[in-house]
Amino acid sequence: MAMDSSGNLYDPFGGKDDLDEKTIRAVGSPTKRIREDAIRIMRAIRFAGRFNFYIEDELFDAISFESKLLKKISPERIFDEFSKMITSERPSYYLLLMEETGVLDVIFPELKRTIGFSQFSPYHEKTLFDHLICVMDEVKPDLSLRLAALFHDISKVDTLSIGEDGRGHFYGHEILGADLVSEILKRYRVSNKVIDKVKILILDHMKVHSEMTDKALRRQIKRVGRENVMDLYDLLIADCKCTRVDRDASFIINRKNRVKELLDEKEMKTEKFLEINGNDIKSLGFGEGKIIGEILKKLENLVLDDPEKNNREYLIEYINKNYR
């Protein structure tokens, strides 16, 4: 479309009517436009979701028939479009549209396997795919967090076993899933920083026991990093909410609030939080070697259990009593 200085609109392809009718249509032959540049498949889906538009039937069919052309598009271009979709307000809409058009099977065949997959559990009323996109909708629009939400249970397909009670079990799916997601994201040239965070969140998403002491929470903070722990709890809360409509996530919310309080402790603010260091231990007469690291690790665990013990005098006394 174009407009001259007099305000006359030139619209040879009826673009204004399509805008008024909230329709996404190719200019001319949809198949030709897609074959010229298959990334238009991803953009049509992104525009449909972003503006809540309808993809015109001929274009929809062309996307479905030509979706395999995406294999010829650089991974970076595909992920650039995909990342914009999943950090939007309604990321599930895009995933459902990709599934409906067959695009999902081309770019993420690992996710395609989760469609219609029953979790054989009274705690899950959704199929696996519906659970994953629900969790993705529930978390904030941070790229790493949305990716973790989308892929956190992806290896349930590979680890399903049925117990004598008829319930599904998925032992170790978080470990297998973290490795699988790393492979997928590397395929799309995603940065190591994003991959590392996604793996951390997936690996720890099953550590949501009914009771966790402050000792356990401090260890969790150290394990996942203070910069990631709040996102982990957002993932845990969303994961719980997307199991059943009547599922109560209050115990995880309360635990998240406790983690916030623990983050203010001195010991949680730095990696090296002990009141003594390796040189202090050497000055007590210990030679260089593995023993220094062993003592420091023991003292770290001791202080994580009880931060009040993090004072120089107590720690030196502990070393003299237990390592002489």
Side-chain angles (χ1 to χ4, degrees):
M1 292 185 291
M3 183 176 288
D4 63 22
S5 58
S6 301
N8 297 310
L9 179 67
Y10 295 85
D11 183 15
F13 297 100
K16 186 177 183 304
D17 288 339
D18 285 336
L19 286 173
D20 291 339
E21 295 172 6
K22 296 188 174 182
T23 299
I24 293 177
R25 187 190 311 273
V27 175
S29 167
T31 299
K32 288 182 180 179
R33 298 293 82 79
I34 289 173
R35 288 177 178 176
E36 288 169 354
D37 187 357
I39 200 66
R40 288 169 178 161
I41 291 173
M42 299 295 287
R43 288 182 181 152
I45 292 172
R46 179 163 65 85
F47 293 156
R50 179 182 177 185
F51 300 110
N52 195 26
F53 276 25
Y54 162 77
I55 297 179
E56 181 268 333
D57 289 346
E58 285 189 29
L59 176 57
F60 187 96
D61 290 343
I63 288 172
S64 300
F65 288 128
E66 305 294 340
S67 59
K68 290 183 180 179
L69 291 177
L70 285 169
K71 293 180 179 180
K72 299 181 180 180
I73 300 297
S74 72
E76 294 89 345
R77 293 183 73 198
I78 291 175
F79 191 79
D80 179 60
E81 293 292 331
F82 182 72
S83 63
K84 292 173 183 175
M85 295 180 198
I86 66 167
T87 52
S88 68
E89 185 177 350
R90 295 185 305 153
S92 63
Y93 179 89
Y94 304 94
L95 270 295
L96 289 169
L97 196 49
M98 282 191 276
E99 190 278 323
E100 189 177 357
T101 55
V103 169
L104 189 67
D105 196 22
V106 176
I107 64 173
F108 293 122
E110 302 88 350
L111 268 177
K112 176 70 174 181
R113 304 177 309 158
T114 68
I115 295 170
F117 184 85
S118 171
Q119 302 188 63
F120 297 96
S121 170
Y123 303 108
H124 283 277
E125 61 185 10
K126 296 179 174 65
T127 65
L128 183 52
F129 182 72
D130 289 338
H131 170 71
L132 294 174
I133 61 176
C134 173
V135 176
M136 185 174 56
D137 277 352
E138 284 286 334
V139 298
K140 66 183 179 183
D142 170 83
L143 178 60
S144 299
L145 183 53
R146 286 273 172 91
L147 287 170
L150 178 61
F151 290 107
H152 73 281
D153 282 343
I154 193 169
S155 283
K156 278 189 170 182
V157 177
D158 305 301
T159 55
L160 171 65
S161 63
I162 305 295
E164 293 181 358
D165 57 0
R167 295 183 180 182
H169 301 281
F170 308 94
Y171 302 116
H173 76 274
E174 71 279 14
I175 299 171
L176 194 62
D179 290 338
L180 178 57
V181 169
S182 179
E183 294 176 9
I184 293 170
L185 297 183
K186 285 178 181 177
R187 188 167 78 219
Y188 283 99
R189 313 287 196 271
V190 180
S191 72
N192 288 334
K193 181 179 179 181
V194 170
I195 293 175
D196 289 345
K197 180 174 179 178
V198 172
K199 289 183 66 177
I200 286 171
L201 296 177
I202 291 177
L203 282 170
D204 238 68
H205 88 272
M206 290 300 293
K207 297 179 173 63
V208 58
H209 312 295
S210 57
E211 297 292 337
M212 289 183 73
T213 63
D214 283 354
K215 167 184 171 181
L217 292 177
R218 291 189 187 99
R219 292 177 188 276
Q220 185 178 56
I221 293 169
K222 289 296 181 181
R223 185 170 61 251
V224 306
R226 62 180 292 117
E227 70 279 10
N228 298 321
V229 71
M230 287 294 100
D231 284 344
L232 172 63
Y233 273 87
D234 286 344
L235 176 60
L236 295 177
I237 292 166
D239 195 14
C240 183
K241 287 181 177 179
C242 289
T243 55
R244 280 189 338 212
V245 292
D246 60 344
R247 190 77 182 273
D248 182 11
S250 59
F251 79 103
I252 308 178
I253 296 171
N254 292 336
R255 190 170 299 157
K256 176 183 177 181
N257 292 333
R258 179 56 182 159
V259 168
K260 285 181 182 178
E261 295 173 351
L262 294 177
L263 285 172
D264 287 332
E265 291 182 343
K266 176 185 66 175
E267 288 75 18
M268 295 295 102
K269 292 183 177 179
T270 61
E271 287 299 317
K272 297 181 178 180
F273 54 85
L274 291 175
E275 289 296 321
I276 66 173
N277 56 36
N279 290 329
D280 294 323
I281 296 174
K282 291 177 187 177
S283 70
L284 296 176
F286 293 89
E288 293 188 12
K290 291 174 61 177
I291 187 63
I292 302 294
E294 291 174 4
I295 294 174
L296 286 172
K297 188 63 177 178
K298 178 63 179 180
L299 297 181
E300 286 181 0
N301 290 330
L302 192 71
V303 169
L304 288 175
D305 293 348
D306 184 1
E308 290 186 4
K309 293 179 179 178
N310 194 20
N311 68 76
R312 184 180 178 83
E313 292 75 16
Y314 177 87
L315 296 176
I316 290 175
E317 180 183 349
Y318 182 90
I319 293 171
N320 286 329
K321 181 178 179 181
N322 292 276
Y323 289 90
R324 293 298 185 183

